[in-house]
Amino acid sequence: MLKSQTPAPGTETRPPSHLFYLSSLRRPLVDRAEGIYIWTQDGRRFIDGSSGPMVANIGHSNRNVLDAMKRQMDRATFAYRLHFENEAAEELARELAGKLPEGMDRIFFVSGGSEATESCIKLARQWAVATGQPKRWKVITRFPSYHGGTLGSLSVTGDDALAETFTPMMQVMPTVPAPAAWRDRDNLSMEQRGIRYADMLEEKILAEGPESVLAFIMEPVGGAATAALVAPDSYYPRIREICDRYSILLIHDEVMSGAGRTGKFLGGDHWNCKPDIVALSKGLGSGYAPLGALAAPTRLVQPLLASGGFQHGHTYAGNPLACAAGLAVLSEMDRLGLIANAADMGDLLKAELKGLAKRFPFIADVRGKGLLLGAEMVADPDTLGPIAPAKKATQRLLDLAYERGLIIYGRKVKGGFDGDNFMVAPPMIITKEQIGEIVAIICDSLQVLAGELDLPVEG
């Protein structure tokens, strides 16, 4: 019989868990969720102040969505797209196209945001080849940015912390700076800064060789990589103009900003900026089922069909259960007027966060649209010098809020290694009173954080 041995450090036996990537931090077991609240099995209640990772747009446990899913479950939960069409997918495609910019009438459903952005890139490349432009393959992206975790979507993600391990395995794409115009210290107006940042795209196109550039991918309202960064208004039409000048496709990553969260169905709608291809996910399924979509006009899709079809696909593409959930989510958005509520409650929440910035001057910028809002924290409000990374300010703030029953979101905003922020993006069903709850907890958490890290406080 073998003698028992003491496990080597770091290899201690633990109960099986899908959370293999966590070393020590464990979270409580969820019991149920309803509206903007989540309860754990030990009886604690949390406010979902970030809609998970900006997913649960219409809130948790919406009865109408659950009933629609049950009706679909009673009919069919799976039908492979190469064998059958299904009514739920066709209805969702029609409904979605009606909410998108005119002409975006070809929809390809996937299971998530990374699949959606990668599908956009592959569509763009196949379009170029099918139309006699095989030299076009480079997709310019912004730094920092986040477009997904698959190798394809990661190749257009401007985040060194996520990408560096996998760089030898993928084709890294060229980048231009994200339009963080609020940080600039010059004599230019915000309108002039917007033009300057957009013109950096043209400079990059010329440096790479216009004949080799396929597309430019951007988030109209930034996600986790930039904490809801919004460019100056002048940026958006200039980007469209530059893409048209060089026959480059403009891809809008609306995975986080789409499906009504910003107070318009698409983030780009705030500037009437029409992309060539759109990626959607997160709020489209609103957490009820894994769902995402690529949307494009017939003019881009038809050349692929004529040359043999879209060489791409996933097992669950167009899954009837997921599409039934998405269709019900869009219906509830309309029935409850949630896009308008996102705009109104977003204005209120943004004003409250700006009020906190006056009390806590280490909050250097509050930004975003609708209920996709972010705030950036610095050590010195005058120089905008960062808080020392060793202090882990973002994680500490998230933990303080969590201890008080509020979930908010945060990630380093300078390529994944530096820059502290937090994001507040509650479900679009949020009320004025619930915003008050959220702001009170954030205020208390910031007060504690300021004391622990010796950050400035007014009054």
Side-chain angles (χ1 to χ4, degrees):
M1 179 179 295
L2 294 175
K3 294 181 179 180
S4 61
Q5 295 180 342
T6 301
T11 64
E12 295 86 352
T13 301
R14 296 177 180 174
S17 172
H18 77 288
L19 300 173
F20 73 90
Y21 49 86
L22 294 180
S23 57
S24 59
L25 177 66
R26 297 300 299 267
R27 293 301 196 186
L29 286 167
V30 66
D31 180 50
R32 63 188 180 90
E34 184 176 348
I36 71 164
Y37 302 106
I38 300 175
W39 287 265
T40 59
Q41 290 186 6
D42 59 6
R44 295 181 65 188
R45 189 199 76 170
F46 291 84
I47 299 173
D48 191 358
S50 64
S51 304
M54 282 60 82
V55 172
N57 282 18
I58 70 165
H60 300 276
S61 301
N62 179 289
R63 191 70 256 168
N64 289 336
V65 176
L66 297 178
D67 287 346
M69 294 177 70
K70 177 61 166 59
R71 289 192 297 271
Q72 182 61 53
M73 289 173 71
D74 288 339
R75 298 178 64 190
T77 57
F78 181 80
Y80 189 46
R81 64 189 176 86
L82 297 184
H83 300 157
F84 302 97
E85 296 182 16
N86 73 80
E87 187 176 11
E90 290 302 298
E91 288 187 16
L92 179 56
R94 286 192 293 269
E95 185 70 20
L96 184 57
K99 297 179 181 298
L100 296 173
E102 185 177 0
M104 305 290 285
D105 56 359
R106 299 294 122 190
I107 312 295
F108 184 82
F109 291 116
V110 294
S111 299
S114 296
E115 288 184 9
T117 54
E118 184 148 331
S119 297
C120 291
I121 295 166
K122 293 178 79 172
L123 171 65
R125 172 60 181 167
Q126 290 180 63
W127 166 82
V129 173
T131 55
Q133 306 175 76
K135 292 183 179 179
R136 291 188 184 270
W137 61 271
K138 297 175 183 175
V139 180
I140 299 176
T141 186
R142 304 194 306 196
F143 187 92
S145 65
Y146 180 77
H147 298 293
T150 62
L151 288 180
S153 59
L154 193 60
S155 71
V156 293
T157 287
D159 189 311
D160 289 342
L162 292 175
E164 64 177 2
T165 299
F166 307 103
T167 298
M169 302 173 67
M170 62 189 184
Q171 177 67 59
V172 179
M173 296 294 180
T175 65
V176 294
W182 72 276
R183 280 186 161 272
D184 294 344
R185 295 296 182 262
D186 52 37
N187 295 322
L188 299 179
S189 66
M190 290 302 284
E191 180 180 7
Q192 290 170 323
R193 290 176 185 171
I195 296 296
R196 181 167 61 84
Y197 275 100
D199 285 347
M200 293 178 186
L201 172 61
E202 183 170 31
E203 293 167 7
K204 180 61 70 171
I205 291 168
L206 293 173
E208 295 290 331
E211 72 287 347
S212 71
V213 179
L214 172 64
F216 175 57
I217 187 169
M218 58 172 270
E219 299 165 290
V221 180
T226 57
L229 181 68
V230 177
D233 290 345
S234 57
Y235 179 84
Y236 299 89
R238 184 69 154 222
I239 288 290
R240 179 70 269 180
E241 175 189 326
I242 291 168
C243 288
D244 288 341
R245 184 180 306 151
Y246 295 97
S247 300
I248 289 166
L249 299 177
L250 175 58
I251 302 173
H252 275 184
D253 179 349
E254 297 267 10
V255 167
M256 192 173 288
S257 57
R261 173 156 291 283
T262 68
K264 300 280 189 180
F265 189 75
L266 295 181
D269 291 346
H270 288 280
W271 299 274
N272 195 29
C273 184
K274 184 178 178 180
D276 296 296
I277 309 175
V278 172
L280 287 161
S281 188
K282 292 189 181 285
L284 183 60
S286 208
Y288 290 86
L291 181 64
L294 168 161
T298 299
R299 66 177 175 83
L300 295 183
V301 175
Q302 189 59 42
L304 273 68
L305 302 182
S307 63
F310 190 23
Q311 302 301 312
H312 180 60
H314 297 281
T315 299
Y316 287 91
N319 176 263
L321 183 57
C323 289
L327 187 62
V329 165
L330 293 185
S331 177
E332 286 299 276
M333 282 187 194
D334 291 341
R335 184 181 73 85
L336 299 172
L338 295 186
I339 295 179
N341 195 62
D344 293 341
M345 293 299 100
D347 287 344
L348 174 61
L349 180 55
K350 192 173 185 180
E352 292 286 350
L353 292 175
K354 287 187 174 182
L356 291 180
K358 292 180 180 178
R359 180 171 177 180
F360 303 101
F362 58 90
I363 298 177
D365 189 48
V366 173
R367 54 186 180 247
K369 290 281 189 182
L371 289 172
L372 182 58
L373 299 174
E376 191 157 341
M377 300 182 292
V378 298
D380 187 329
D382 296 321
T383 66
L384 303 182
I387 300 171
K391 293 186 175 182
K392 299 181 179 179
T394 293
Q395 188 57 56
R396 181 57 181 149
L397 178 63
L398 268 56
D399 290 343
L400 288 167
Y402 194 88
E403 292 166 7
R404 289 156 176 76
L406 171 66
I407 301 168
I408 54 177
Y409 201 88
R411 176 166 174 74
K412 300 295 187 180
V413 292
K414 294 183 178 180
F417 289 112
D418 197 3
D420 288 288
N421 75 88
F422 61 94
M423 295 182 71
V424 189
M428 294 158 58
I429 59 172
I430 194 84
T431 65
K432 181 178 179 180
E433 293 71 26
Q434 290 167 336
I435 284 177
E437 287 186 77
I438 289 173
V439 172
I441 294 175
I442 293 175
C443 181
D444 186 40
S445 301
L446 288 169
Q447 188 72 47
V448 174
L449 182 74
E452 290 181 352
L453 302 187
D454 193 27
L455 297 170
V457 176
E458 293 292 336

